[in-house]
Amino acid sequence: SDSSSARRIRPLGEAVVNKIAAGEIIERPENAVKELIENSLDSESTIIDVLLKEGGLKLLQISDNGTGIYNDDLPLLCQRFSTSKITKFEDLSSVKTFGFRGEALASISHISRLTVTTKRKDAVHGWRAFYIDGKLAPATGHGSSAPQPCAGKQGTVVSVEDLFYNVPSRKVALKNGAEEFRRILLLIQKYAIHNESVSFSCKKFGDSAATLSLSSRFRRIDRIRQVYGSNLAKNLLPFEVYGGSLLEGFSAQGLVSNANYASKKTVFLLFINNRLVESTDLRKNLEEVYSEFLPKGASPFLYLSLNIPESQVDVNVHPSKRVVHFLHDQEIADLLRSHLSKVLENEDARRSYHVQT
Ligand code: ADP
Ligand code: MG
């Protein structure tokens, strides 16, 4: 045939489509942990334990004490776009759960060997199911792919083994389990600081003690002290501001470091309607304010939790949900800037008063 002629269009096979989609959500073990922690939080868990072997590449296991999953729902659990959280597109404008796309478990099942053990509160026993490529599959040594009854306490355990076993490029890129462990630990720390009524732990497979263990008795400030040290904990200022008539329904709460504290790099924990998100724009705005109070080269710590009316937030920007769009972003940035200035100025004034008297 003529080499300059156009190529023919063909639909990709289902397996390729699913693997490509999975790659968008799960780039590295950290992304899987985020999805699984969010599922545990969505199911009203108050205890979330994470166990990792080789930074999650060999094994990544999340146990929770949440509602559990109906036995009848297990065949659909890893099917793409199957969810218990929304039923119609309009629901997206008021979605309060982290999940809604029904893609996380499906994606994970396409790039790992996935086992789910779950027991609902009033069930006599639990169920264990094994998944490959979105579907129930027989576990090693079993003939049937049907979920098996098992003992267990209320909640769900999701075990992800051999992540990226069938994605050679990812496997090569992610050789360093230590780096993956470090990232996952940072992620769990952030969730633990925001969700102060939930106890979190993170353990390396084979270790006797957990690397991170924050019981539900630990208040936010205790958690920050445990994670970032007492020097930060004693240099924190409360941050609280409410939107005026233009920003009706908006509020921000948090803890921010004072002018005595200096970090090498800015630590910015940003939650919008309880979602952990990134915003370089807000970060830059707030860093600018700090630059008037901190010596050169010193950076702040900020934990901010913003509440924006659900109808003004679009969480459906990217499958990873790392970025959200919201209305009035410039006004919100201005409000946060001016309030931060006030908080830091007041502290400045208070300190110089103490020094003088
Ligand atoms: P989504 O969270 O967007 O619904 P997922 O693939 O993450 O999609 O999960 C699919 C469904 O599986 C959820 O809607 C929920 O019903 C159920 N599920 C997942 N993880 C848990 C869990 N830890 N506890 C209870 N139910 C869960
Ligand atoms: Mg989910």
Side-chain angles (χ1 to χ4, degrees), residues 340-356:
L340 181 61
S341 283
K342 244 183 269 170
V343 167
L344 294 172
E345 266 161 28
N346 285 345
E347 170 69 5
D348 229 19
R350 199 184 62 77
R351 267 193 304 146
S352 55
Y353 174 80
H354 275 289
V355 172
Q356 281 161 23

mmCIF file with all atom_site columns, all heavy atoms in Angstrom, residues 340-356:
data_model
loop_
_atom_site.group_PDB
_atom_site.id
_atom_site.type_symbol
_atom_site.label_atom_id
_atom_site.label_alt_id
_atom_site.label_comp_id
_atom_site.label_asym_id
_atom_site.label_entity_id
_atom_site.label_seq_id
_atom_site.pdbx_PDB_ins_code
_atom_site.Cartn_x
_atom_site.Cartn_y
_atom_site.Cartn_z
_atom_site.occupancy
_atom_site.B_iso_or_equiv
_atom_site.pdbx_formal_charge
_atom_site.auth_seq_id
_atom_site.auth_comp_id
_atom_site.auth_asym_id
_atom_site.auth_atom_id
_atom_site.pdbx_PDB_model_num
ATOM 1   N N   . LEU A 1 340 ? -4.127 36.315 56.633 1.00 0.00 ? 340 LEU A N   1
ATOM 2   C CA  . LEU A 1 340 ? -2.807 35.832 57.068 1.00 0.00 ? 340 LEU A CA  1
ATOM 3   C C   . LEU A 1 340 ? -1.935 37.004 57.517 1.00 0.00 ? 340 LEU A C   1
ATOM 4   O O   . LEU A 1 340 ? -1.244 36.927 58.541 1.00 0.00 ? 340 LEU A O   1
ATOM 5   C CB  . LEU A 1 340 ? -2.129 35.049 55.938 1.00 0.00 ? 340 LEU A CB  1
ATOM 6   C CG  . LEU A 1 340 ? -0.751 34.459 56.273 1.00 0.00 ? 340 LEU A CG  1
ATOM 7   C CD1 . LEU A 1 340 ? -0.855 33.459 57.429 1.00 0.00 ? 340 LEU A CD1 1
ATOM 8   C CD2 . LEU A 1 340 ? -0.143 33.767 55.047 1.00 0.00 ? 340 LEU A CD2 1
ATOM 9   N N   . SER A 1 341 ? -1.965 38.098 56.759 1.00 0.00 ? 341 SER A N   1
ATOM 10  C CA  . SER A 1 341 ? -1.216 39.303 57.155 1.00 0.00 ? 341 SER A CA  1
ATOM 11  C C   . SER A 1 341 ? -1.617 39.736 58.555 1.00 0.00 ? 341 SER A C   1
ATOM 12  O O   . SER A 1 341 ? -0.773 40.032 59.399 1.00 0.00 ? 341 SER A O   1
ATOM 13  C CB  . SER A 1 341 ? -1.516 40.471 56.226 1.00 0.00 ? 341 SER A CB  1
ATOM 14  O OG  . SER A 1 341 ? -0.840 40.318 55.043 1.00 0.00 ? 341 SER A OG  1
ATOM 15  N N   . LYS A 1 342 ? -2.925 39.775 58.780 1.00 0.00 ? 342 LYS A N   1
ATOM 16  C CA  . LYS A 1 342 ? -3.447 40.209 60.071 1.00 0.00 ? 342 LYS A CA  1
ATOM 17  C C   . LYS A 1 342 ? -2.952 39.291 61.185 1.00 0.00 ? 342 LYS A C   1
ATOM 18  O O   . LYS A 1 342 ? -2.474 39.749 62.220 1.00 0.00 ? 342 LYS A O   1
ATOM 19  C CB  . LYS A 1 342 ? -4.992 40.204 60.034 1.00 0.00 ? 342 LYS A CB  1
ATOM 20  C CG  . LYS A 1 342 ? -5.576 41.600 60.212 1.00 0.00 ? 342 LYS A CG  1
ATOM 21  C CD  . LYS A 1 342 ? -7.102 41.543 60.232 1.00 0.00 ? 342 LYS A CD  1
ATOM 22  C CE  . LYS A 1 342 ? -7.664 41.721 58.829 1.00 0.00 ? 342 LYS A CE  1
ATOM 23  N NZ  . LYS A 1 342 ? -9.113 41.448 58.752 1.00 0.00 ? 342 LYS A NZ  1
ATOM 24  N N   . VAL A 1 343 ? -3.067 38.000 60.966 1.00 0.00 ? 343 VAL A N   1
ATOM 25  C CA  . VAL A 1 343 ? -2.654 37.015 61.978 1.00 0.00 ? 343 VAL A CA  1
ATOM 26  C C   . VAL A 1 343 ? -1.176 37.205 62.319 1.00 0.00 ? 343 VAL A C   1
ATOM 27  O O   . VAL A 1 343 ? -0.792 37.220 63.487 1.00 0.00 ? 343 VAL A O   1
ATOM 28  C CB  . VAL A 1 343 ? -2.913 35.566 61.469 1.00 0.00 ? 343 VAL A CB  1
ATOM 29  C CG1 . VAL A 1 343 ? -2.216 34.530 62.338 1.00 0.00 ? 343 VAL A CG1 1
ATOM 30  C CG2 . VAL A 1 343 ? -4.409 35.295 61.415 1.00 0.00 ? 343 VAL A CG2 1
ATOM 31  N N   . LEU A 1 344 ? -0.361 37.391 61.296 1.00 0.00 ? 344 LEU A N   1
ATOM 32  C CA  . LEU A 1 344 ? 1.082  37.511 61.531 1.00 0.00 ? 344 LEU A CA  1
ATOM 33  C C   . LEU A 1 344 ? 1.436  38.873 62.139 1.00 0.00 ? 344 LEU A C   1
ATOM 34  O O   . LEU A 1 344 ? 2.315  38.971 62.988 1.00 0.00 ? 344 LEU A O   1
ATOM 35  C CB  . LEU A 1 344 ? 1.859  37.275 60.233 1.00 0.00 ? 344 LEU A CB  1
ATOM 36  C CG  . LEU A 1 344 ? 1.762  35.839 59.680 1.00 0.00 ? 344 LEU A CG  1
ATOM 37  C CD1 . LEU A 1 344 ? 2.388  35.745 58.295 1.00 0.00 ? 344 LEU A CD1 1
ATOM 38  C CD2 . LEU A 1 344 ? 2.413  34.828 60.619 1.00 0.00 ? 344 LEU A CD2 1
ATOM 39  N N   . GLU A 1 345 ? 0.739  39.921 61.727 1.00 0.00 ? 345 GLU A N   1
ATOM 40  C CA  . GLU A 1 345 ? 0.980  41.257 62.299 1.00 0.00 ? 345 GLU A CA  1
ATOM 41  C C   . GLU A 1 345 ? 0.601  41.302 63.775 1.00 0.00 ? 345 GLU A C   1
ATOM 42  O O   . GLU A 1 345 ? 1.349  41.832 64.601 1.00 0.00 ? 345 GLU A O   1
ATOM 43  C CB  . GLU A 1 345 ? 0.155  42.311 61.554 1.00 0.00 ? 345 GLU A CB  1
ATOM 44  C CG  . GLU A 1 345 ? 0.902  42.994 60.436 1.00 0.00 ? 345 GLU A CG  1
ATOM 45  C CD  . GLU A 1 345 ? -0.052 43.668 59.456 1.00 0.00 ? 345 GLU A CD  1
ATOM 46  O OE1 . GLU A 1 345 ? -1.167 44.075 59.880 1.00 0.00 ? 345 GLU A OE1 1
ATOM 47  O OE2 . GLU A 1 345 ? 0.314  43.772 58.282 1.00 0.00 ? 345 GLU A OE2 1
ATOM 48  N N   . ASN A 1 346 ? -0.560 40.732 64.097 1.00 0.00 ? 346 ASN A N   1
ATOM 49  C CA  . ASN A 1 346 ? -0.996 40.697 65.495 1.00 0.00 ? 346 ASN A CA  1
ATOM 50  C C   . ASN A 1 346 ? 0.026  39.996 66.363 1.00 0.00 ? 346 ASN A C   1
ATOM 51  O O   . ASN A 1 346 ? 0.350  40.455 67.453 1.00 0.00 ? 346 ASN A O   1
ATOM 52  C CB  . ASN A 1 346 ? -2.332 39.944 65.631 1.00 0.00 ? 346 ASN A CB  1
ATOM 53  C CG  . ASN A 1 346 ? -3.488 40.787 65.139 1.00 0.00 ? 346 ASN A CG  1
ATOM 54  O OD1 . ASN A 1 346 ? -3.335 42.002 64.959 1.00 0.00 ? 346 ASN A OD1 1
ATOM 55  N ND2 . ASN A 1 346 ? -4.618 40.156 64.914 1.00 0.00 ? 346 ASN A ND2 1
ATOM 56  N N   . GLU A 1 347 ? 0.540  38.891 65.853 1.00 0.00 ? 347 GLU A N   1
ATOM 57  C CA  . GLU A 1 347 ? 1.526  38.118 66.601 1.00 0.00 ? 347 GLU A CA  1
ATOM 58  C C   . GLU A 1 347 ? 2.797  38.944 66.783 1.00 0.00 ? 347 GLU A C   1
ATOM 59  O O   . GLU A 1 347 ? 3.392  38.968 67.860 1.00 0.00 ? 347 GLU A O   1
ATOM 60  C CB  . GLU A 1 347 ? 1.812  36.817 65.839 1.00 0.00 ? 347 GLU A CB  1
ATOM 61  C CG  . GLU A 1 347 ? 2.978  36.007 66.344 1.00 0.00 ? 347 GLU A CG  1
ATOM 62  C CD  . GLU A 1 347 ? 2.723  35.390 67.712 1.00 0.00 ? 347 GLU A CD  1
ATOM 63  O OE1 . GLU A 1 347 ? 1.602  35.525 68.225 1.00 0.00 ? 347 GLU A OE1 1
ATOM 64  O OE2 . GLU A 1 347 ? 3.668  34.786 68.269 1.00 0.00 ? 347 GLU A OE2 1
ATOM 65  N N   . ASP A 1 348 ? 3.169  39.641 65.727 1.00 0.00 ? 348 ASP A N   1
ATOM 66  C CA  . ASP A 1 348 ? 4.331  40.533 65.750 1.00 0.00 ? 348 ASP A CA  1
ATOM 67  C C   . ASP A 1 348 ? 4.179  41.589 66.839 1.00 0.00 ? 348 ASP A C   1
ATOM 68  O O   . ASP A 1 348 ? 5.063  41.791 67.666 1.00 0.00 ? 348 ASP A O   1
ATOM 69  C CB  . ASP A 1 348 ? 4.405  41.252 64.389 1.00 0.00 ? 348 ASP A CB  1
ATOM 70  C CG  . ASP A 1 348 ? 5.792  41.181 63.811 1.00 0.00 ? 348 ASP A CG  1
ATOM 71  O OD1 . ASP A 1 348 ? 6.556  40.300 64.257 1.00 0.00 ? 348 ASP A OD1 1
ATOM 72  O OD2 . ASP A 1 348 ? 6.095  41.995 62.923 1.00 0.00 ? 348 ASP A OD2 1
ATOM 73  N N   . ALA A 1 349 ? 3.002  42.234 66.839 1.00 0.00 ? 349 ALA A N   1
ATOM 74  C CA  . ALA A 1 349 ? 2.721  43.291 67.801 1.00 0.00 ? 349 ALA A CA  1
ATOM 75  C C   . ALA A 1 349 ? 2.747  42.734 69.220 1.00 0.00 ? 349 ALA A C   1
ATOM 76  O O   . ALA A 1 349 ? 3.306  43.334 70.128 1.00 0.00 ? 349 ALA A O   1
ATOM 77  C CB  . ALA A 1 349 ? 1.358  43.904 67.496 1.00 0.00 ? 349 ALA A CB  1
ATOM 78  N N   . ARG A 1 350 ? 2.137  41.563 69.389 1.00 0.00 ? 350 ARG A N   1
ATOM 79  C CA  . ARG A 1 350 ? 2.056  40.946 70.703 1.00 0.00 ? 350 ARG A CA  1
ATOM 80  C C   . ARG A 1 350 ? 3.471  40.658 71.226 1.00 0.00 ? 350 ARG A C   1
ATOM 81  O O   . ARG A 1 350 ? 3.796  40.933 72.373 1.00 0.00 ? 350 ARG A O   1
ATOM 82  C CB  . ARG A 1 350 ? 1.257  39.648 70.604 1.00 0.00 ? 350 ARG A CB  1
ATOM 83  C CG  . ARG A 1 350 ? 0.707  39.119 71.918 1.00 0.00 ? 350 ARG A CG  1
ATOM 84  C CD  . ARG A 1 350 ? 0.024  37.774 71.714 1.00 0.00 ? 350 ARG A CD  1
ATOM 85  N NE  . ARG A 1 350 ? 0.949  36.750 71.231 1.00 0.00 ? 350 ARG A NE  1
ATOM 86  C CZ  . ARG A 1 350 ? 1.835  36.129 72.016 1.00 0.00 ? 350 ARG A CZ  1
ATOM 87  N NH1 . ARG A 1 350 ? 1.890  36.401 73.287 1.00 0.00 ? 350 ARG A NH1 1
ATOM 88  N NH2 . ARG A 1 350 ? 2.644  35.224 71.505 1.00 0.00 ? 350 ARG A NH2 1
ATOM 89  N N   . ARG A 1 351 ? 4.310  40.152 70.310 1.00 0.00 ? 351 ARG A N   1
ATOM 90  C CA  . ARG A 1 351 ? 5.658  39.790 70.740 1.00 0.00 ? 351 ARG A CA  1
ATOM 91  C C   . ARG A 1 351 ? 6.488  41.009 71.119 1.00 0.00 ? 351 ARG A C   1
ATOM 92  O O   . ARG A 1 351 ? 7.167  41.029 72.118 1.00 0.00 ? 351 ARG A O   1
ATOM 93  C CB  . ARG A 1 351 ? 6.377  38.981 69.654 1.00 0.00 ? 351 ARG A CB  1
ATOM 94  C CG  . ARG A 1 351 ? 6.204  37.496 69.855 1.00 0.00 ? 351 ARG A CG  1
ATOM 95  C CD  . ARG A 1 351 ? 7.147  36.763 68.982 1.00 0.00 ? 351 ARG A CD  1
ATOM 96  N NE  . ARG A 1 351 ? 6.953  37.145 67.594 1.00 0.00 ? 351 ARG A NE  1
ATOM 97  C CZ  . ARG A 1 351 ? 7.915  37.221 66.708 1.00 0.00 ? 351 ARG A CZ  1
ATOM 98  N NH1 . ARG A 1 351 ? 9.155  36.948 67.057 1.00 0.00 ? 351 ARG A NH1 1
ATOM 99  N NH2 . ARG A 1 351 ? 7.666  37.570 65.474 1.00 0.00 ? 351 ARG A NH2 1
ATOM 100 N N   . SER A 1 352 ? 6.390  42.056 70.308 1.00 0.00 ? 352 SER A N   1
ATOM 101 C CA  . SER A 1 352 ? 7.206  43.231 70.618 1.00 0.00 ? 352 SER A CA  1
ATOM 102 C C   . SER A 1 352 ? 6.713  43.892 71.904 1.00 0.00 ? 352 SER A C   1
ATOM 103 O O   . SER A 1 352 ? 7.472  44.448 72.676 1.00 0.00 ? 352 SER A O   1
ATOM 104 C CB  . SER A 1 352 ? 7.223  44.231 69.454 1.00 0.00 ? 352 SER A CB  1
ATOM 105 O OG  . SER A 1 352 ? 5.921  44.566 69.108 1.00 0.00 ? 352 SER A OG  1
ATOM 106 N N   . TYR A 1 353 ? 5.410  43.752 72.182 1.00 0.00 ? 353 TYR A N   1
ATOM 107 C CA  . TYR A 1 353 ? 4.857  44.263 73.426 1.00 0.00 ? 353 TYR A CA  1
ATOM 108 C C   . TYR A 1 353 ? 5.476  43.514 74.600 1.00 0.00 ? 353 TYR A C   1
ATOM 109 O O   . TYR A 1 353 ? 5.931  44.095 75.577 1.00 0.00 ? 353 TYR A O   1
ATOM 110 C CB  . TYR A 1 353 ? 3.332  44.099 73.433 1.00 0.00 ? 353 TYR A CB  1
ATOM 111 C CG  . TYR A 1 353 ? 2.681  44.470 74.732 1.00 0.00 ? 353 TYR A CG  1
ATOM 112 C CD1 . TYR A 1 353 ? 2.441  45.814 75.041 1.00 0.00 ? 353 TYR A CD1 1
ATOM 113 C CD2 . TYR A 1 353 ? 2.307  43.503 75.657 1.00 0.00 ? 353 TYR A CD2 1
ATOM 114 C CE1 . TYR A 1 353 ? 1.850  46.165 76.242 1.00 0.00 ? 353 TYR A CE1 1
ATOM 115 C CE2 . TYR A 1 353 ? 1.715  43.845 76.849 1.00 0.00 ? 353 TYR A CE2 1
ATOM 116 C CZ  . TYR A 1 353 ? 1.487  45.180 77.150 1.00 0.00 ? 353 TYR A CZ  1
ATOM 117 O OH  . TYR A 1 353 ? 0.903  45.516 78.334 1.00 0.00 ? 353 TYR A OH  1
ATOM 118 N N   . HIS A 1 354 ? 5.545  42.173 74.459 1.00 0.00 ? 354 HIS A N   1
ATOM 119 C CA  . HIS A 1 354 ? 6.120  41.359 75.527 1.00 0.00 ? 354 HIS A CA  1
ATOM 120 C C   . HIS A 1 354 ? 7.584  41.683 75.743 1.00 0.00 ? 354 HIS A C   1
ATOM 121 O O   . HIS A 1 354 ? 8.075  41.687 76.858 1.00 0.00 ? 354 HIS A O   1
ATOM 122 C CB  . HIS A 1 354 ? 5.978  39.864 75.200 1.00 0.00 ? 354 HIS A CB  1
ATOM 123 C CG  . HIS A 1 354 ? 4.654  39.322 75.608 1.00 0.00 ? 354 HIS A CG  1
ATOM 124 N ND1 . HIS A 1 354 ? 4.318  39.135 76.917 1.00 0.00 ? 354 HIS A ND1 1
ATOM 125 C CD2 . HIS A 1 354 ? 3.573  38.949 74.876 1.00 0.00 ? 354 HIS A CD2 1
ATOM 126 C CE1 . HIS A 1 354 ? 3.091  38.657 76.977 1.00 0.00 ? 354 HIS A CE1 1
ATOM 127 N NE2 . HIS A 1 354 ? 2.617  38.546 75.748 1.00 0.00 ? 354 HIS A NE2 1
ATOM 128 N N   . VAL A 1 355 ? 8.296  41.960 74.673 1.00 0.00 ? 355 VAL A N   1
ATOM 129 C CA  . VAL A 1 355 ? 9.721  42.254 74.779 1.00 0.00 ? 355 VAL A CA  1
ATOM 130 C C   . VAL A 1 355 ? 9.933  43.580 75.514 1.00 0.00 ? 355 VAL A C   1
ATOM 131 O O   . VAL A 1 355 ? 10.792 43.709 76.372 1.00 0.00 ? 355 VAL A O   1
ATOM 132 C CB  . VAL A 1 355 ? 10.367 42.309 73.366 1.00 0.00 ? 355 VAL A CB  1
ATOM 133 C CG1 . VAL A 1 355 ? 11.798 42.799 73.439 1.00 0.00 ? 355 VAL A CG1 1
ATOM 134 C CG2 . VAL A 1 355 ? 10.316 40.922 72.734 1.00 0.00 ? 355 VAL A CG2 1
ATOM 135 N N   . GLN A 1 356 ? 9.063  44.565 75.198 1.00 0.00 ? 356 GLN A N   1
ATOM 136 C CA  . GLN A 1 356 ? 9.219  45.885 75.803 1.00 0.00 ? 356 GLN A CA  1
ATOM 137 C C   . GLN A 1 356 ? 8.877  45.911 77.292 1.00 0.00 ? 356 GLN A C   1
ATOM 138 O O   . GLN A 1 356 ? 9.476  46.643 78.056 1.00 0.00 ? 356 GLN A O   1
ATOM 139 C CB  . GLN A 1 356 ? 8.323  46.897 75.083 1.00 0.00 ? 356 GLN A CB  1
ATOM 140 C CG  . GLN A 1 356 ? 8.922  47.379 73.766 1.00 0.00 ? 356 GLN A CG  1
ATOM 141 C CD  . GLN A 1 356 ? 7.873  47.991 72.859 1.00 0.00 ? 356 GLN A CD  1
ATOM 142 O OE1 . GLN A 1 356 ? 6.834  48.440 73.344 1.00 0.00 ? 356 GLN A OE1 1
ATOM 143 N NE2 . GLN A 1 356 ? 8.147  48.013 71.584 1.00 0.00 ? 356 GLN A NE2 1
#
